[in-house]
Amino acid sequence: MTGEQWAALWPARVTVDLDAITANVKVLRERVGGAELMAVVKADAYGHGLVPSARAALKGGAVALGVAQPSEALALRTAGIDAPVLTWLVAPGLDLAPLVAADIEVGVSSTQVLEEVVAAAAGLGRAATVQLKVDTGLGRNGAFGLPVAASDLRTDWTDLVDQAARRQAEGSVRVRGIFTHFAYADAPEHPTVRAQQAAFADAVTIADRAGLAVEVRHLSNSAATLTAPDATWDMVRPGLAVFGLTPVPDLGTAADFGLRPAMRVTATVALTKRVPAGQGVSYGHTYVTDRETTLIDVPLGYADGIPRHASNVGPVQVGGRRFTVSGRVCMDQFLIDVGDLPVHAGDEVVIFGAGDDGEPTAQDWAEAAGTISYEIVTRFGPRVPRVYLGGDG
Ligand SMILES: *Cc1c(COP(=O)(O)O)cnc(C)c1O
């Protein structure tokens, strides 16, 4: 069966506006002046579809792509994308040869992984390109670099830099960049934002002294790209904002930043029914009708990415009007009490979209379900096909 034939069997879809992705990258690039932009397309491009989204971002002027896992990087190459690709969540013991052979840049957080990259490169008789990741305070991925200022103190970072400098001198690796990641970029006034920038500057100095003259130095995720222009260095590394969502909903909406949400989720009403007052709805009857009314059955559930926490609170749009999920979200479906609105099986329900026509946004769903828009868009599963608008066809 072709993709289209499959799509014709699924009652819900994620429609992705590729031109919005392209436009968002342009807007973000304008914000950072001359700096380069690496579009982060991990997690299937935040649920928008890896390859089409990556192409749309490159069209907007992204010069590189960033992913977490090596398999995501290889998938980009397999699709014929030859832009620089960086993968930074590389556990020891993986077969790195295909990455090195495909010219994928490996984000290295430890000497252990550095040595595995070196071994893979040696096996292929070529040099591998790496970027070194320093932990300047997130306490997550990256070689621990604190206290970096006292460079006579040995840290994981100084060990990694020295080892990388030796390996670069031997010709087995080329260190193209250094990067780190913020803990509090969504709170630009938080003292860690300044502290991490200072630590990063120190980490760069240590690398310079070791003779690693890197091409690119980068820190900024979406939130920092939008709120901390002085953190830019040579490149920014936004993900969420590329897809038109705000990483800092308390500081600005997507529209305030000139961004356009690229994802729209819709479903076809599977069934409608008139029920009397007092009818319990869905598992546990956490919603009970208070009058004779129409219930509509929406064929999307938590297995598809609708958060179960959205039971009785998730917003939807039907027939141009806003309603709320009635009762529990089930694995495959949820219900909506639409009162006397004439809704029919086969009509469309908008779960969320850009918000232009009064429909809810992914941010609205995040607030309703007590989470962040990142989690809303990344969770749509294999039963919800992606349909693309715009792009290069
Ligand atoms: C996910 C991620 C990004 C992008 O973050 P956004 O908040 O989506 O912009 C950038 N860098 C690293 C290391 C990441 O893990």
Side-chain angles (χ1 to χ4, degrees):
M1 240 165 59
T2 67
E4 257 169 40
Q5 287 169 319
W6 279 112
L9 284 174
W10 273 303
R13 60 218 68 86
V14 168
T15 305
V16 177
D17 179 353
L18 296 173
D19 293 340
I21 294 174
T22 301
N24 292 333
V25 169
K26 286 184 183 156
V27 165
L28 293 166
R29 281 183 56 222
E30 274 162 29
R31 282 193 95 90
V32 295
E36 295 187 333
L37 186 145
M38 168 184 286
V40 177
V41 292
K42 62 189 179 187
D44 200 28
Y46 291 54
H48 294 68
L50 176 67
V51 172
S53 301
R55 287 195 203 286
L58 292 169
K59 190 176 167 192
V63 299
L65 300 166
V67 291
Q69 297 199 6
S71 62
E72 304 181 292
L74 267 182
L76 290 165
R77 283 287 182 268
T78 305
I81 292 175
D82 55 13
V85 174
L86 173 66
T87 169
W88 56 71
L89 199 58
V90 182
L94 302 181
D95 177 10
L96 299 178
L99 298 186
V100 176
D103 244 328
I104 289 162
E105 299 177 14
V106 182
V108 171
S109 293
S110 68
T111 50
Q112 185 182 10
V113 168
L114 178 68
E115 289 309 300
E116 293 191 6
V117 176
V118 166
L124 293 165
R126 57 181 294 174
T129 305
V130 299
Q131 297 206 31
L132 304 182
K133 188 164 188 192
V134 56
D135 178 2
T136 54
L138 174 58
R140 198 179 73 175
N141 196 15
F144 196 61
L146 301 175
V148 284
S151 53
D152 48 334
L153 256 177
R154 301 308 303 171
T155 62
D156 291 352
W157 176 245
T158 54
D159 288 347
L160 178 60
V161 161
D162 289 348
Q163 185 74 349
R166 274 195 293 279
R167 293 307 196 180
Q168 179 159 275
E170 288 166 17
S172 54
V173 296
R174 178 171 76 101
V175 181
R176 195 169 93 80
I178 296 176
F179 67 116
T180 193
H181 197 50
F182 283 116
Y184 264 105
D186 53 346
E189 304 305 325
H190 196 277
T192 58
V193 176
R194 293 257 154 260
Q196 284 195 257
Q197 283 179 251
F200 186 68
D202 287 348
V204 168
T205 302
I206 288 168
D208 286 347
R209 282 200 206 121
L212 294 175
V214 301
E215 270 170 43
V216 288
R217 299 156 296 182
H218 44 112
L219 302 82
S220 297
N221 58 1
S222 295
T225 302
L226 295 170
T227 66
D230 54 339
T232 297
W233 288 72
D234 309 307
M235 182 183 261
V236 292
R237 220 172 50 237
L240 190 78
V242 166
F243 304 100
L245 297 171
T246 178
V248 286
D250 297 339
L251 302 178
T253 63
D256 291 339
F257 293 117
L259 302 170
R260 182 168 174 75
M263 182 184 287
R264 179 177 175 87
V265 181
T266 54
T268 304
V269 176
L271 183 71
T272 68
K273 62 182 68 176
R274 282 302 274 182
V275 297
Q279 175 62 52
V281 178
S282 191
Y283 292 128
H285 284 178
T286 60
Y287 180 87
V288 179
T289 59
D290 61 2
R291 66 212 180 296
E292 182 183 321
T293 190
T294 299
L295 294 176
I296 71 171
D297 184 6
V298 180
L300 273 175
Y302 60 77
D304 301 300
I306 300 293
R308 192 165 176 276
H309 277 102
S311 298
N312 284 312
V313 292
V316 296
Q317 188 192 45
V318 190
R321 283 183 44 196
R322 288 282 280 265
F323 294 94
T324 301
V325 172
S326 303
R328 287 219 183 114
V329 173
C330 310
M331 185 184 290
D332 316 299
Q333 49 198 312
F334 66 83
L335 288 303
I336 310 169
D337 177 348
V338 295
D340 294 327
L341 193 73
V343 181
H344 304 285
D347 286 356
E348 185 181 75
V349 180
V350 183
I351 313 304
F352 62 79
D356 298 340
D357 297 315
E359 77 274 27
T361 61
Q363 180 58 34
D364 293 333
W365 271 84
E367 284 165 23
T371 183
I372 52 178
S373 61
Y374 293 78
E375 196 180 17
I376 298 297
V377 292
T378 51
R379 291 185 52 183
F380 287 96
R383 298 194 300 191
V384 194
R386 273 54 171 178
V387 177
Y388 295 98
L389 300 178
D392 290 326

